[in-house]
Amino acid sequence: MRITNICYSQDDGSSPSAANNFIREIIDGDIESGINGGRVATRFPPEPNGYLHIGHAKSIVLNYGLARDYGGTFNVRFDDTNPITEDEEYVDSILEDIKWLGAEFDGRVFYASDYFDQFYIWAVELITKGLAYVDDLSPEQLKEMRGDYNRPGVDSPSRSNTVERNLELFQQMKDGKFGDGERLLRAKIDMKSPNMNLRDPIIYRVLHRHHYRLGDKWCIYPMYDFAHGFEDSIEGITHSICTLEFENHRPLYDWFLDNVTTENRPHQYEFARLNLNYTVMSKRRLLELVERKLVKGWNDPRLPTISGLRRRGYTSESIWNFCERIGVAKRNSTVDIGLLEHSIRTDLNESAPRVMGVLEPLKVVITNFPDNEVIWFDAPLHPEKHEMGTRKVPLTKEIFIEKEDFREDAPRKFFRLKPGGEIRLRYACLIKCEKVIKGPDGNIEYLECTWDPESKGGTSPDGRKVRGTSHWVSASHGQRVEIRLYDRLFTVENPMDTDGSYLDFLNPDSLVVLKNSVVEPYLGSAVKGSRWQFERKGYFYVDPFDSADGNPVFNRTVTLKDSWARIDAAKTKMPEKSVVNKVPELKTEKRDEAVSEISFDDFSKVALKCARVVKAEAVENADKLVRFELDLGEGRLRQIFSGIKKSYPDPSILEGKSVVVVSNLKPRKMKFGLSEGMVLATEIGSEIKVMLAPEGAFPGADVN
RNA sequence: UGGGCCGUCGACAAGUGGCAAGUCACGGGGCUUUGGUCCCCGCAUCGAAGGUUCGAAUCCUUCCGGCCCAGCCA
């Protein structure tokens, strides 16, 4: 007898534990040196003044993951020290989102506002130690005396007040003897510090405002820098993790903790916040989109908010997975939204049942199909997971297929239905297009097809090859539904990084509502919140708010990867092999005959066209020249040189943008090659700026 | 121009002096009743220049580039 002993290591790569990162290294070091007795306590400290977004999810996953993996604790703490912006509504939504994400806090929900009494005691301790003083500077004076990066600050006259006087004044602040802004409590640190945060920062301000939890109990409120470390200390937090912009605040965090009597000494560590392209992530921006009604609320599926993603159909697992794979580091970075989409596709590919839905219906009449017959086919709900079972799909004489699955003038690689062509109706049979029926306006009204009764189930009876398979729905049995197609909110990768307002780059097609879509009868009973794959079209989520029993409304979570769409798009843009690096002389000479040189007294003959910048690079050995490769929708790329180098040291930022080109100039031979036209630019002061056409302008479109 | 932080493939990101992980994207091929999934293959000398070393992405020096800080916001 032979015994085979196979040992699997604990970490075989399949375990979901998060990748290593610098914070884990710090914790490993702390545990090794016995700091905090090896205890790990983290927290997620949102301010209740907005909804959570996926950037917060990154923080939650980080903090919760640390506590989980090190056997520690995880707190949720509302950092509610500013009564002006905070609200109960946000507390509720934040808690809901954290729960939905699956970070268990087990009742460990805390509020900074519960610590105000203790904060007050510590403030008094600082005053008593001569480390804080009450000031009466106006905002203007305060700003002026703080100095700037190159100019040290100046001590306020109040800085030398006695401890007794400060104690008395602070008590009066608390007792409401002063109006808003009339007095401040300041830490006495160093007005000459190169770190502006240390120039006697404000600890308490007078604010006669109603706090959403405490009502009117207080009229003085602590500032973040003073409060945050204390909040951590009170809760026994060991590792206080925040984002990069707080790095300059860490000396302050430490200063407060070191100058007051506390039991626990937490430490602050900073990591890079999450940025995603084609969207905006700051609370201020999201709030603006919501308030200006550019989206339909905080949970609009186009928003990167947790509630928006949830309504879009994202699963918490996919968000969790995404947050783990993007990593944690100190480098500012922008993650490709494609990675988020990949996360949800991976999840839904596994779990979503497959069904058929026709987004934009085109009617097909199967002429040789018996008039009132209905054939029910069994169709599996998942191609790999048989255990998910099957459902029945009815085939009738009249059906709908997807409009884009038929083309009259089909390109060579178009495997779908075309006149005289044959395709398979998924799970059902083979049909052949016999006739295209058009209306008086020339639009296609419907298609007449014939079916091969021998092909039931979709197999070809004689082994003939049928490349295309289309999804379809019976016209008589299908159900008309509303489907919402979502796309990226902005047309540019970094909306915040553009000239002008980011709002100028909102994608007008970020939401497309389809009212005439048709789905197979099985979906009539789809329950709210369920997720489906419409074969070949994408993953869809039954909107929990707008759906009714028996009448689902579908939100498209994400499309399927579509390699045909890529081929097709590339084809219509550049039908033949694109000319990239060299412009063939021959071709150019032919062009010469067609395009005549013009002079400026004949300005009306100037042809201005939009062109998409495919490539833009500085020309080596030329002082001013930038070489463009431009798509004017001509099936080839044009090379144009432009003297704009000094204003565009890195011309590649223009790639993907649309510019305006004088297209009918005689090509000019230059030292570096042929220049076929002129890119319009304007001089602004000493800068030369290229004139940009609207994003997404069709290459070759005329400019008036 | 003061201080703090950061520069590894198109996008993220491991790597901590011994021959540059992984993921996404991209390209090529296979399979396929989803142009989906899946499978295979390809894809960087580490911001630059000097130096230390047998050996450097990792250490030193200088330079270049990016981000953050002058709220009684967090």
Side-chain angles (χ1 to χ4, degrees):
Chain A
M1 182 177 162
R2 201 180 57 169
I3 297 173
T4 310
N5 200 353
I6 303 172
C7 291
Y8 292 101
S9 85
Q10 190 75 356
D11 186 11
D12 59 357
S14 63
S15 68
S17 77
N20 196 33
N21 60 53
F22 76 99
I23 293 176
R24 283 172 184 263
E25 280 179 18
I26 290 167
I27 294 178
D28 290 340
D30 288 349
I31 289 173
E32 204 169 318
S33 52
I35 294 173
N36 300 312
R39 195 170 57 85
V40 173
T42 61
R43 105 264 94 117
F44 173 64
E47 185 188 8
N49 68 347
Y51 278 59
L52 259 31
H53 53 63
I54 190 155
H56 294 110
K58 177 181 180 183
S59 173
I60 292 167
V61 167
L62 207 212
N63 281 292
Y64 177 79
L66 256 16
R68 178 196 59 200
D69 296 348
Y70 286 94
T73 53
F74 169 73
N75 292 1
V76 172
R77 179 174 71 233
F78 289 99
D79 201 0
D80 52 358
T81 58
N82 182 0
I84 298 173
T85 57
E86 293 151 10
D87 195 279
E88 192 75 48
E89 175 200 354
Y90 297 118
V91 171
D92 297 340
S93 77
I94 288 169
L95 251 17
E96 183 190 354
D97 288 347
I98 299 172
K99 280 182 198 151
W100 178 75
L101 278 171
E104 296 152 28
F105 44 84
D106 194 27
R108 299 178 68 91
V109 180
F110 302 93
Y111 296 83
S113 48
D114 283 340
Y115 310 147
F116 282 4
D117 289 309
Q118 180 57 244
F119 290 167
Y120 185 80
I121 291 168
W122 275 320
V124 169
E125 183 179 345
L126 284 175
I127 296 171
T128 308
K129 287 178 171 168
L131 293 174
Y133 61 97
V134 174
D135 209 342
D136 59 358
L137 258 29
S138 69
E140 297 72 31
Q141 290 171 314
L142 192 79
K143 185 177 161 71
E144 173 58 27
M145 295 178 77
R146 186 154 36 215
D148 57 39
Y149 301 145
N150 304 308
R151 195 164 46 92
V154 182
D155 287 358
S156 163
S158 314
R159 205 175 199 264
S160 48
N161 283 169
T162 63
V163 168
E164 291 67 32
R165 179 69 183 141
N166 283 323
L167 250 15
E168 184 186 333
L169 252 17
F170 188 47
Q171 177 69 241
Q172 290 175 3
M173 279 172 68
K174 184 194 178 200
D175 292 343
K177 299 277 164 41
F178 300 112
D180 288 3
E182 286 180 8
R183 289 293 188 286
L184 298 163
L185 184 66
R186 291 228 264 167
K188 193 187 287 185
I189 306 181
D190 178 9
M191 288 306 291
K192 294 180 185 58
S193 171
N195 182 344
M196 302 292 288
N197 295 125
L198 263 25
R199 320 250 262 226
D200 288 10
I202 295 165
I203 298 178
Y204 267 94
R205 73 281 215 192
V206 177
L207 239 37
H208 290 269
R209 294 295 271 264
H210 191 83
H211 189 276
Y212 75 100
R213 290 187 74 234
L214 270 21
D216 300 316
K217 182 178 175 192
W218 295 86
C219 62
I220 55 172
Y221 289 89
M223 299 287 288
Y224 169 86
D225 286 313
F226 170 81
H228 205 86
F230 291 148
E231 296 164 19
D232 290 333
S233 177
I234 289 170
E235 293 176 19
I237 300 300
T238 56
H239 301 264
S240 178
I241 300 165
C242 62
T243 45
L244 248 29
E245 66 269 27
F246 290 99
E247 269 175 327
N248 295 327
H249 296 244
R250 180 156 23 101
L252 247 191
Y253 183 97
D254 292 335
W255 190 90
F256 286 116
L257 252 14
D258 289 341
N259 282 297
V260 127
T261 319
T262 58
E263 282 182 24
N264 300 296
R265 180 54 221 264
H267 288 272
Q268 173 183 306
Y269 303 95
E270 310 86 12
F271 72 103
R273 65 179 337 132
L274 170 65
N275 295 297
L276 275 182
N277 56 11
Y278 296 104
T279 188
V280 291
M281 199 72 90
S282 82
K283 268 197 247 185
R284 185 173 136 355
R285 264 35 159 290
L286 294 172
L287 181 66
E288 188 174 10
L289 289 167
V290 172
E291 286 190 332
R292 295 179 62 167
K293 303 240 189 299
L294 298 167
V295 295
K296 300 175 178 175
W298 284 102
N299 68 349
D300 188 299
R302 290 168 292 183
L303 256 21
T305 51
I306 301 300
S307 51
L309 291 167
R310 180 165 59 229
R311 192 169 182 185
R312 175 96 169 231
Y314 275 78
T315 59
S316 53
E317 290 80 3
S318 70
I319 292 173
W320 205 273
N321 182 282
F322 169 76
C323 290
E324 285 182 341
R325 68 171 67 212
I326 57 175
V328 177
K330 297 196 72 154
R331 176 169 19 155
N332 286 314
S333 59
T334 302
V335 175
D336 192 330
I337 193 135
L339 199 53
L340 217 209
E341 293 176 347
H342 175 258
S343 295
I344 187 61
R345 283 195 189 106
T346 305
D347 186 349
L348 262 20
N349 178 51
E350 285 285 309
S351 61
R354 313 291 131 121
V355 288
M356 294 194 285
V358 175
L359 272 36
E360 296 183 86
L362 168 64
K363 190 154 89 172
V364 169
V365 178
I366 306 172
T367 51
N368 60 341
F369 196 90
D371 274 353
N372 293 312
E373 189 161 333
V374 182
I375 304 178
W376 291 86
F377 292 98
D378 278 317
L381 285 162
H382 197 287
E384 283 93 37
K385 302 190 153 189
H386 260 236
E387 66 276 18
M388 287 178 74
T390 62
R391 86 286 184 185
K392 300 256 187 219
V393 185
L395 178 67
T396 52
K397 188 182 182 79
E398 293 193 358
I399 60 169
F400 293 116
I401 64 168
E402 203 68 58
K403 209 172 249 169
E404 63 169 25
D405 281 347
F406 174 80
R407 273 203 203 170
E408 234 178 333
D409 48 347
R412 210 177 35 220
K413 290 217 169 177
F414 186 81
F415 303 144
R416 309 177 186 183
L417 198 59
K418 52 194 162 195
E422 189 173 38
I423 57 161
R424 172 168 29 248
L425 296 181
R426 177 127 240 232
Y427 308 124
C429 65
L430 267 20
I431 60 167
K432 188 172 175 187
C433 177
E434 308 286 358
K435 208 168 168 191
V436 181
I437 311 298
K438 295 185 178 178
D441 52 0
N443 288 335
I444 299 174
E445 278 189 353
Y446 64 96
L447 263 26
E448 284 186 0
C449 295
T450 51
W451 75 308
D452 179 351
E454 299 302 305
S455 67
K456 277 191 200 133
T459 51
S460 77
D462 51 4
R464 64 178 186 272
K465 272 269 176 288
V466 179
R467 274 297 301 262
T469 299
S470 278
H471 55 102
W472 56 278
V473 170
S474 157
S476 54
H477 290 61
Q479 179 169 346
R480 207 154 280 262
V481 295
E482 176 177 324
I483 295 184
R484 274 104 68 131
L485 269 21
Y486 297 104
D487 198 357
R488 41 192 58 155
L489 229 201
F490 291 91
T491 55
V492 292
E493 271 205 57
N494 300 302
M496 297 311 299
D497 212 37
T498 53
D499 292 339
S501 167
Y502 70 106
L503 294 176
D504 295 341
F505 298 91
L506 276 168
N507 177 6
D509 301 320
S510 59
L511 168 63
V512 173
V513 180
L514 266 22
K515 300 270 190 190
N516 289 315
S517 302
V518 183
V519 297
E520 60 175 275
Y522 181 68
L523 275 175
S525 56
V527 299
K528 293 177 183 180
S530 56
R531 298 181 176 87
W532 306 87
Q533 185 198 98
F534 287 8
E535 293 206 49
R536 309 206 306 134
K537 292 273 83 174
Y539 295 100
F540 293 80
Y541 179 68
V542 180
D543 192 286
F545 301 96
D546 298 333
S547 298
D549 281 351
N551 191 16
V553 171
F554 292 93
N555 297 338
R556 184 175 67 192
T557 308
V558 67
T559 60
L560 254 31
K561 274 212 282 185
D562 187 350
S563 47
W564 163 249
R566 269 210 306 275
I567 297 168
D568 195 34
K571 259 193 157 38
T572 50
K573 271 180 192 158
M574 281 165 253
E576 297 304 326
K577 281 176 194 137
S578 59
V579 180
V580 178
N581 281 318
K582 28 198 177 297
V583 182
E585 292 294 330
L586 278 177
K587 252 192 173 169
T588 320
E589 276 173 17
K590 265 189 222 149
R591 296 174 49 78
D592 280 2
E593 295 164 16
V595 184
S596 60
E597 194 167 19
I598 56 165
S599 57
F600 277 89
D601 53 17
D602 202 358
F603 201 71
S604 65
K605 288 186 183 163
V606 170
L608 297 179
K609 288 185 181 295
C610 289
R612 193 174 56 87
V613 179
V614 174
K615 191 166 185 185
E617 56 179 4
V619 177
E620 271 185 36
N621 306 323
D623 292 335
K624 295 192 272 188
L625 289 185
V626 165
R627 193 178 76 84
F628 284 100
E629 279 169 25
L630 299 168
D631 177 10
L632 279 83
E634 299 166 308
R636 57 180 284 280
L637 299 180
R638 284 205 201 187
Q639 169 173 279
I640 294 181
F641 290 91
S642 184
I644 57 166
K645 196 167 173 179
K646 98 177 154 182
S647 295
Y648 294 91
D650 176 17
S652 67
I653 59 164
L654 291 167
E655 287 174 7
K657 300 240 194 294
S658 290
V659 297
V660 179
V661 166
V662 182
S663 63
N664 58 341
L665 291 175
K666 184 173 177 177
R668 249 171 104 168
K669 272 189 188 130
M670 303 184 62
K671 187 177 161 191
F672 306 96
L674 209 62
S675 192
E676 310 168 86
M678 185 191 274
V679 174
L680 285 193
T682 33
E683 254 182 271
I684 304 166
S686 63
E687 295 287 294
I688 303 174
K689 288 290 180 193
V690 167
M691 199 174 283
L692 291 178
E695 200 69 28
F698 195 76
D702 286 321
V703 177
N704 301 313

